[in-house]
Amino acid sequence: MRQPGRYSRLMMCGGITGRSGPHSLPLARIKKIMKNSGEDVKMISGEAPIVFSKACELFIEELTRRSWMTTQQGKRRTLHKEDIESAVVGTDIFDFLVSLVSDSCNSEDIITPVGIEILDES
């Protein structure tokens, strides 16, 4: 008898929809992005998009959490694009996104969220 896979518990958590399992991100779209990432990528297991879906959810949650801290520092209740830009520029782990947001973002406008330590690399 076949044993449950390593990531099977991800599929069992929460309600399962016919489109994307327990996740809100569509697995077919994730699989399409994965296949379009390179000519060498041809076969993708059924578990891989599930893991990517969960990773994307965690990424969105973390970026939102850090952006929300900036929103609260500005004494606002609505998260704006500028809050996301501040979170990206002010957090080392999001350095790969800096070029995406840097066009409309000046370093003088960056508000460092409370509770997040910025290390000086010099």
Side-chain angles (χ1 to χ4, degrees):
M1 185 169 160
R2 185 173 174 203
Q3 297 297 315
R6 182 180 205 169
Y7 300 104
S8 295
R9 66 182 176 83
L10 289 176
M11 293 188 74
M12 294 178 192
C13 300
I16 296 178
T17 64
R19 184 176 77 138
S20 61
H23 307 290
S24 58
L25 300 172
L27 297 180
R29 177 69 178 133
I30 293 171
K31 193 169 186 175
K32 185 176 181 180
I33 292 168
M34 291 171 71
K35 283 188 175 184
N36 290 337
S37 66
E39 294 177 8
D40 296 338
V41 180
K42 291 182 175 43
M43 298 294 289
I44 298 170
S45 75
E47 294 173 337
I50 295 169
V51 175
F52 268 100
S53 176
K54 186 62 178 175
C56 289
E57 288 177 17
L58 294 172
F59 171 75
I60 292 167
E61 286 176 13
E62 182 64 22
L63 184 55
T64 302
R65 196 173 292 115
R66 290 174 185 260
S67 301
W68 183 248
M69 286 189 254
T70 303
T71 302
Q72 289 179 319
Q73 276 188 319
K75 300 189 185 332
R76 291 179 284 110
R77 298 178 65 176
T78 304
L79 192 138
H80 295 285
K81 178 184 174 196
E82 293 77 21
D83 301 322
I84 298 168
E85 291 171 351
S86 292
V88 166
V89 174
T91 308
D92 289 343
I93 61 172
F94 297 134
D95 280 350
F96 67 100
L97 295 173
V98 170
S99 62
L100 182 70
V101 299
S102 63
D103 296 331
S104 60
C105 192
N106 296 330
S107 60
E108 296 84 33
D109 297 336
I110 303 302
I111 300 172
T112 304
V114 174
I116 298 196
E117 185 178 327
I118 302 297
L119 299 175
D120 186 17
E121 296 181 11
S122 55

